[in-house]
Coordinates of all heavy atoms in Angstrom, one line a residue:
F553 N -18.6 -35.8 -29.7 CA -18.7 -35.2 -28.3 C -17.5 -35.7 -27.5 O -17.3 -36.9 -27.5 CB -20.0 -35.6 -27.6 CG -21.3 -35.1 -28.4 CD1 -21.7 -35.9 -29.5 CD2 -21.9 -34.1 -27.9 CE1 -22.9 -35.4 -30.2 CE2 -23.1 -33.7 -28.6 CZ -23.5 -34.3 -29.8
M554 N -16.7 -34.8 -27.0 CA -15.6 -35.2 -26.2 C -15.5 -34.5 -24.8 O -16.0 -33.4 -24.7 CB -14.2 -34.8 -27.0 CG -14.0 -35.4 -28.3 SD -12.6 -35.0 -29.1 CE -11.4 -36.0 -28.2
R555 N -15.0 -35.3 -23.8 CA -14.9 -34.8 -22.5 C -13.5 -35.3 -22.0 O -13.2 -36.5 -22.2 CB -16.0 -35.4 -21.6 CG -16.0 -34.8 -20.2 CD -17.2 -35.3 -19.5 NE -18.4 -34.7 -19.9 CZ -19.5 -35.4 -20.5 NH1 -19.4 -36.6 -20.6 NH2 -20.5 -34.7 -20.8
D556 N -12.7 -34.4 -21.5 CA -11.4 -34.8 -21.1 C -10.5 -35.4 -22.1 O -9.8 -36.3 -21.9 CB -11.4 -35.6 -19.8 CG -12.2 -34.9 -18.7 OD1 -12.0 -33.7 -18.5 OD2 -12.9 -35.5 -17.9
G557 N -10.7 -34.9 -23.4 CA -9.9 -35.5 -24.5 C -10.4 -36.8 -25.0 O -9.7 -37.4 -25.9
I558 N -11.4 -37.3 -24.5 CA -11.9 -38.7 -24.9 C -13.3 -38.6 -25.5 O -14.2 -37.8 -25.0 CB -12.0 -39.6 -23.7 CG1 -10.6 -39.8 -23.0 CG2 -12.6 -41.0 -24.0 CD1 -10.7 -40.4 -21.6
Q559 N -13.5 -39.2 -26.6 CA -14.8 -39.3 -27.3 C -15.8 -40.0 -26.4 O -15.5 -41.1 -26.1 CB -14.7 -39.9 -28.7 CG -16.0 -40.0 -29.5 CD -15.8 -40.6 -30.8 OE1 -14.9 -40.3 -31.6 NE2 -16.7 -41.4 -31.2
V560 N -16.9 -39.3 -26.2 CA -18.0 -40.0 -25.4 C -19.2 -40.2 -26.2 O -20.2 -41.0 -25.7 CB -18.3 -39.2 -24.1 CG1 -17.1 -39.1 -23.2 CG2 -18.7 -37.8 -24.4
D561 N -19.4 -39.6 -27.3 CA -20.6 -39.8 -28.1 C -20.3 -39.4 -29.5 O -19.4 -38.6 -29.8 CB -21.8 -39.0 -27.5 CG -23.1 -39.4 -28.0 OD1 -23.2 -40.5 -28.8 OD2 -24.1 -38.7 -27.7
K562 N -21.1 -39.9 -30.5 CA -20.9 -39.5 -31.9 C -22.3 -39.6 -32.5 O -23.1 -40.6 -32.2 CB -20.0 -40.5 -32.6 CG -19.7 -40.2 -34.0 CD -19.0 -41.4 -34.7 CE -17.6 -41.0 -34.9 NZ -16.8 -42.0 -35.7
L563 N -22.6 -38.6 -33.3 CA -24.0 -38.6 -34.0 C -23.6 -38.3 -35.5 O -22.9 -37.4 -35.8 CB -24.8 -37.5 -33.5 CG -26.1 -37.2 -34.2 CD1 -27.1 -38.4 -34.0 CD2 -26.8 -36.0 -33.6
V564 N -24.2 -39.2 -36.4 CA -24.0 -39.1 -37.8 C -25.2 -38.7 -38.5 O -26.3 -39.3 -38.2 CB -23.4 -40.4 -38.4 CG1 -23.3 -40.3 -39.9 CG2 -22.2 -40.8 -37.8
G565 N -25.2 -37.6 -39.3 CA -26.4 -37.2 -39.9 C -26.9 -35.8 -39.6 O -26.5 -35.3 -38.5
A566 N -27.6 -35.2 -40.5 CA -28.1 -33.8 -40.3 C -29.5 -33.9 -39.7 O -30.5 -33.9 -40.4 CB -28.1 -33.0 -41.6
N567 N -29.6 -33.9 -38.4 CA -30.9 -33.9 -37.7 C -30.8 -32.8 -36.6 O -30.3 -33.1 -35.5 CB -31.2 -35.3 -37.2 CG -32.6 -35.4 -36.6 OD1 -33.0 -34.5 -35.9 ND2 -33.2 -36.5 -36.8
P568 N -31.4 -31.6 -36.9 CA -31.3 -30.6 -35.8 C -31.8 -30.9 -34.5 O -31.2 -30.6 -33.4 CB -32.1 -29.4 -36.5 CG -32.0 -29.7 -38.0 CD -32.0 -31.1 -38.1
D569 N -33.0 -31.7 -34.5 CA -33.6 -32.0 -33.2 C -32.7 -33.0 -32.4 O -32.5 -32.8 -31.2 CB -35.0 -32.6 -33.4 CG -36.0 -31.6 -33.8 OD1 -35.8 -30.4 -33.6 OD2 -37.0 -31.9 -34.5
K570 N -32.1 -33.9 -33.1 CA -31.2 -35.0 -32.4 C -30.0 -34.3 -31.8 O -29.6 -34.6 -30.7 CB -30.8 -36.0 -33.5 CG -31.7 -37.2 -33.3 CD -31.0 -38.4 -34.1 CE -31.9 -39.6 -34.1 NZ -31.4 -40.7 -35.0
I571 N -29.4 -33.3 -32.7 CA -28.2 -32.7 -32.2 C -28.5 -31.8 -30.9 O -27.8 -31.8 -30.0 CB -27.4 -31.9 -33.3 CG1 -26.0 -31.4 -32.8 CG2 -28.1 -30.7 -33.7 CD1 -25.0 -32.6 -32.6
K572 N -29.6 -31.1 -31.0 CA -30.0 -30.3 -29.9 C -30.3 -31.1 -28.6 O -29.8 -30.8 -27.5 CB -31.3 -29.5 -30.2 CG -31.0 -28.4 -31.2 CD -32.3 -27.7 -31.6 CE -32.1 -26.6 -32.7 NZ -33.3 -26.0 -33.2

Side-chain angles (χ1 to χ4, degrees):
F553 300 77
M554 295 181 79
R555 187 176 288 114
D556 298 322
I558 299 166
Q559 179 177 317
V560 295
D561 196 6
K562 182 188 257 186
L563 176 64
V564 178
N567 186 322
D569 290 335
K570 263 192 185 173
I571 191 72
K572 288 175 185 176

